[in-house]
Amino acid sequence: MPFHVMLIPTLRCPSKCSYCWSSESGSPVMSIETIEEVVKWLKNFRNEPVTFTFHGGEPLLAGADFYRKAMPLLAEGLSNLKPAFAMQTNLWKMTPELANILAKYNIPLGSSLDGPEELNDLQRGKGYYKKTMLGYEIARAAGLKVSFICTFTSYSVKFREDIFNFFLENGFTLKLHPALPSIRSENPDKWALDPKEYGELLVYLLDKYLENMGKIEIMNIDHLCKCVFTNRGTVCTFVDCMGHTFAVGPDGSIYPCYRFIGMPEYVMGNVRDHPGREDLARSDAWKLMFRYKEYVDRECGECKYVKFCRGGCPYNAIAPTEGEIKGVDPHCTAYKRIFKEITERWEKEFLGGSDMGMFGFQPGHVRDSRHGIMSIMLKRL
């Protein structure tokens, strides 16, 4: 797992998405002094390349002056770690000034659209689509790369074909996310996507991807296929992220991941104290995360797919149970479904498939698809 530090300038957010589980209207905004302490903390924390992701809430609420000062502090102050940067934003607060600051550091942007305007605004609020697209145009004009996360809910999954076609026709890169139970709603499971439906959605998107190879990029499918090809997890959901990923909240508190920001029981330390790994390891949150890893090793040892998923996301497993380890990521059902599908197709192609000629195998019978699973497995090599 690469070294990853998520910086959360604020948990505030101007949008009011129906299924939101992480924003806080009264959240403070991170100070430049906190960024200075981040630099001091990481200077000798780990001697390997680091990726910083600005997340939230809405990170652009910190404003242009914040990024004008923060970026050189991080890039030059931690040049020994060869820092790379990314940002997740709804783009509403994007301005040409901000876009040019971010472009100077070649920061790729992740944003959010749930599909066509009517469907998107039903889930995320009226006017969301237009505001995001306005910010998108400003970002693109500055040369910034923008991809979109599409949150599938119990409602929108019924329109999966419309959503796929929207991303295909607009030439947008698609990364999907299953809606989690909301912590702001009196009915937290209203929008949550059922794990079984999530699994079938992934298989559907795998088929659509293969039918449209070269016309669209679906990041999740790329990563899932790569897991099978490399025999290990390749993104944070599917690896032992504990001890490799950290998140810093607006007040400098250090957490295991951005998903835990604002939950005091998961604070491991503060950047102002410049803690080492040994200091963080003494926290209850660190110990809990490693107990989860041990639980996965023990309970999932017989599962043929555990090497691909490592029990899934710890937040999904332990946050809903108030820190008690009662099971793995509830999306386990979905992970098993898609890994089974990919594995079976891979085995079929390996024994006589269309894409194995380069390895000296003779082509045999293949599915009624122009491309086989190996087309995805090999595309990033």
Side-chain angles (χ1 to χ4, degrees):
M1 179 69 186
F3 185 25
H4 187 196
V5 176
M6 311 183 86
L7 300 174
I8 317 300
T10 182
L11 283 176
R12 285 164 42 201
C13 183
S15 60
K16 304 292 181 184
C17 300
S18 300
Y19 48 77
C20 181
W21 50 270
S22 65
S23 66
E24 294 180 6
S25 58
S27 175
V29 176
M30 183 179 285
S31 67
I32 286 297
E33 289 72 25
T34 298
I35 293 294
E36 292 172 342
E37 295 297 338
V38 168
V39 173
K40 293 175 184 175
W41 168 48
L42 294 178
K43 196 74 173 177
N44 298 302
F45 184 76
R46 279 176 71 161
N47 187 28
E48 60 186 276
V50 61
T51 296
F52 289 102
T53 299
F54 293 96
H55 214 295
E58 174 46 58
L60 292 184
L61 286 173
D65 193 51
F66 173 84
Y67 288 101
R68 187 180 296 108
K69 296 175 181 177
M71 295 311 302
L73 284 171
L74 294 165
E76 297 167 17
L78 294 171
S79 60
N80 59 308
L81 302 183
K82 300 179 175 60
F85 301 95
M87 178 181 287
Q88 182 66 31
T89 166
N90 64 21
L91 294 170
W92 290 15
K93 298 297 181 179
M94 183 62 74
T95 64
E97 181 183 18
L98 264 167
N100 287 328
I101 293 170
L102 302 180
K104 181 180 178 181
Y105 294 90
N106 195 31
I107 299 180
L109 305 179
S111 193
S112 298
L113 283 178
D114 290 352
E117 183 173 2
E118 183 178 357
L119 175 59
N120 178 86
D121 286 7
L122 173 69
Q123 298 191 157
R124 290 185 171 267
K126 188 174 182 180
Y128 187 109
Y129 183 91
K130 285 185 170 63
K131 292 176 183 177
T132 293
M133 291 310 296
L134 178 61
Y136 171 78
E137 295 299 335
I138 294 172
R140 294 293 295 148
L144 290 165
K145 179 182 178 181
V146 183
S147 57
F148 291 100
I149 290 178
C150 176
T151 299
F152 279 86
T153 68
S154 57
Y155 177 78
S156 68
V157 72
K158 301 177 180 67
F159 303 94
R160 62 187 190 180
E161 184 172 1
D162 295 328
I163 294 170
F164 174 82
N165 289 334
F166 167 80
F167 280 86
L168 177 66
E169 291 163 6
N170 283 281
F172 294 151
T173 295
L174 171 61
K175 182 179 181 181
L176 63 130
H177 175 74
L180 300 167
S182 173
I183 61 174
R184 298 194 319 175
S185 172
E186 294 179 359
N187 184 9
D189 294 320
K190 177 181 178 181
W191 297 95
L193 183 62
D194 176 78
K196 184 176 180 180
E197 283 192 290
Y198 180 29
E200 294 307 316
L201 172 65
L202 290 170
V203 173
Y204 168 81
L205 289 174
L206 172 61
D207 283 328
K208 298 298 289 186
Y209 198 10
L210 290 171
E211 291 171 13
N212 293 276
M213 284 291 290
K215 301 177 184 177
I216 190 173
E217 181 176 7
I218 305 179
M219 294 175 67
N220 305 65
I221 303 302
D222 282 346
H223 293 149
L224 290 162
C225 289
K226 189 176 179 182
C227 287
V228 176
F229 188 67
T230 61
N231 212 34
R232 61 180 176 82
T234 59
V235 291
C236 69
T237 303
F238 303 131
V239 297
D240 292 324
C241 60
M242 293 74 80
H244 302 283
T245 295
F246 301 95
V248 180
D251 65 350
S253 293
I254 302 169
Y255 299 81
C257 173
Y258 84 99
R259 289 185 165 188
F260 295 102
I261 297 284
M263 303 171 73
E265 62 271 32
Y266 291 99
V267 173
M268 300 189 295
N270 193 290
V271 296
R272 290 178 174 81
D273 300 320
H274 312 153
R277 285 174 59 89
E278 298 79 11
D279 300 313
L280 298 177
R282 286 192 284 270
S283 68
D284 290 339
W286 178 288
K287 294 173 183 176
L288 175 61
M289 297 293 281
F290 275 86
R291 283 203 301 275
Y292 176 73
K293 177 183 180 298
E294 293 166 359
Y295 177 89
V296 171
D297 290 337
R298 182 174 65 253
E299 298 297 323
C300 302
E302 299 302 315
C303 177
K304 63 189 297 185
Y305 306 115
V306 67
K307 57 193 173 186
F308 303 147
C309 77
R310 295 299 302 145
C313 176
Y315 174 90
N316 291 351
I318 63 181
T321 59
E322 299 181 343
E324 288 189 58
I325 303 174
K326 297 181 176 180
V328 296
D329 185 337
H331 290 133
C332 172
T333 301
Y335 305 150
K336 285 181 177 178
R337 177 70 181 91
I338 187 62
F339 282 130
K340 179 176 185 292
E341 188 74 21
I342 293 171
T343 300
E344 289 180 351
R345 295 189 189 192
W346 147 256
E347 290 173 348
K348 184 175 181 180
E349 288 181 26
F350 189 86
L351 293 174
S354 60
D355 291 302
M356 296 307 296
M358 68 183 72
F359 294 106
F361 291 89
Q362 294 299 315
H365 176 72
V366 296
R367 301 173 68 253
D368 295 330
S369 172
R370 184 180 304 173
H371 296 279
I373 205 76
M374 283 295 295
S375 301
I376 303 176
M377 290 179 167
L378 298 176
K379 72 187 285 268
R380 290 186 180 274
L381 294 183

